[in-house]
């Protein structure tokens, strides 16, 4: 009935309270993970033993994997554009990033120097200040350029986030039972983070009344 489950991972800290409700944290539940005296232990046995801890570990791995995928997309988008322009990646970045940077003037540097907490004279830190400002401008310009390439190439992350089957029979619910997206919230009335996310959940129900 439900084709997709989305967990509110902001509440990972209280997943331990809901551990009995988690029926699995992914993978083939029948896969054998260990044997003891000829008795096979499956992934389902493992998931039942430490569901909350395993879900947290999977989510941490997912975040690291997602970061690696984002970097892979950035690198491929840049390499693709370099191929289109028949130049190297370094030449591409110089053409679209480095050459567009404006060198800070002495007045710009002095304005920054005036709010610095240093006993060094301006002339001694001037070059260091200029380098720092140029580095920040270069990073900002590079991010903007790469982001424009990602949009141009219609880059999309296809990596699936961790999911779990959650027993919800008898639990209070909102929205149609046939909705394609099911959001499971583990909340604590004394949790400040639960309170912060409440408006977002309300907005989801208002914007997607038939989908959630």
């Amino acid at each position: 009935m439900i084709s997709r489950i989305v967990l509110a991972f902001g509440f990972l800290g209280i997943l331990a309270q809901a551990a009995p409700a988690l029926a699995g944290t992914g993978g083939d539940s029948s896969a054998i993970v260990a044997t003891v005296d000829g008795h096979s232990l499956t992934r389902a046995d493992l998931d039942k033993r430490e569901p909350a801890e395993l879900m947290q570990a999977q989510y941490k791995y997912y975040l690291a994997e997602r970061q690696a995928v984002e970097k892979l997309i950035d690198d491929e988008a840049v390499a693709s554009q370099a191929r289109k322009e028949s130049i190297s990646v370094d030449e591409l970045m110089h053409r679209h990033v480095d050459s567009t940077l404006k060198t800070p003037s002495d007045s710009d540097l002095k304005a920054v120097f005036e709010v610095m907490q240093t006993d060094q004279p301006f002339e001694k830190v001037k070059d260091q200040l200029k380098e720092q400002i140029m580095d920040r401008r270069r990073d900002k310009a590079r991010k903007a350029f790469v982001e424009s390439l990602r949009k141009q190439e219609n880059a999309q992350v296809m990596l699936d986030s961790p999911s779990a089957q959650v027993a919800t029979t008898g639990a209070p619910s909102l929205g149609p039972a046939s909705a394609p997206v099911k959001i499971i919230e583990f909340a604590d009335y004394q949790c400040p983070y639960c309170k912060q996310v409440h408006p977002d959940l309300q907005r989801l129900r208002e914007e997607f009344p038939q989908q959630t």
Side-chain angles (χ1 to χ4, degrees), residues 181-211:
V181 177
K182 186 175 184 180
I183 301 174
I184 309 296
E185 177 185 9
F186 296 100
D188 185 333
Y189 287 114
Q190 295 181 340
C191 171
Y193 300 106
C194 299
K195 182 178 180 180
Q196 289 178 15
V197 81
H198 183 67
D200 294 327
L201 295 176
Q202 282 187 314
R203 187 160 53 251
L204 281 174
R205 291 199 300 268
E206 293 172 357
E207 294 182 6
F208 307 99
Q210 302 301 318
Q211 290 78 37

Side-chain angles (χ1 to χ4, degrees), residues 15-195:
L15 272 177
Q17 300 175 8
L22 296 176
T25 55
D28 182 2
S29 61
S30 63
I32 298 175
V33 297
T35 59
V36 178
D37 192 24
H39 176 65
S40 298
L41 300 175
T42 66
R43 176 164 293 280
D45 298 321
L46 179 63
D47 289 338
K48 291 177 182 177
R49 182 62 61 90
E50 301 291 348
E53 288 78 3
L54 290 175
M55 177 58 75
Q56 291 186 56
Q58 287 182 3
Y59 188 61
K60 288 179 180 179
Y61 178 78
Y62 164 75
L63 291 179
E65 198 173 27
R66 175 66 183 255
Q67 186 176 12
V69 171
E70 296 285 2
K71 179 65 165 58
L72 182 63
I73 291 175
D74 290 349
D75 291 345
E76 180 55 31
V78 170
S80 176
Q81 185 63 28
R83 289 192 295 268
K84 291 178 181 178
E85 299 186 26
S86 301
I87 56 178
S88 68
V89 168
D90 289 341
E91 291 172 327
L92 180 78
M93 300 310 292
H94 176 75
R95 176 182 295 180
H96 295 279
V97 176
D98 295 340
S99 64
T100 66
L101 300 179
K102 181 181 178 181
T103 302
S105 63
D106 282 355
S107 59
D108 294 331
L109 295 174
K110 287 180 180 179
V112 176
F113 175 77
E114 289 177 357
V115 298
M116 290 178 59
Q117 296 181 350
T118 179
D119 296 328
Q120 299 292 328
F122 172 71
E123 292 301 328
K124 190 169 184 178
V125 299
K126 174 182 176 180
D127 291 339
Q128 182 181 357
L129 273 178
K130 180 184 293 185
E131 183 178 350
Q132 291 177 351
I133 292 175
M134 289 298 293
D135 285 344
R136 286 197 294 268
R137 289 181 177 179
R138 185 177 296 105
D139 288 343
K140 184 177 180 180
R142 187 184 189 285
K143 288 179 181 178
F145 176 59
V146 173
E147 183 62 28
S148 69
L149 293 180
R150 288 176 63 122
K151 292 180 179 179
Q152 173 182 305
E153 300 294 338
N154 193 28
Q156 299 181 47
V157 177
M158 309 302 291
L159 191 67
D160 290 332
S161 61
S163 62
Q165 296 299 318
V166 182
T168 58
T169 303
S173 64
L174 294 171
S178 59
V181 177
K182 186 175 184 180
I183 301 174
I184 309 296
E185 177 185 9
F186 296 100
D188 185 333
Y189 287 114
Q190 295 181 340
C191 171
Y193 300 106
C194 299
K195 182 178 180 180

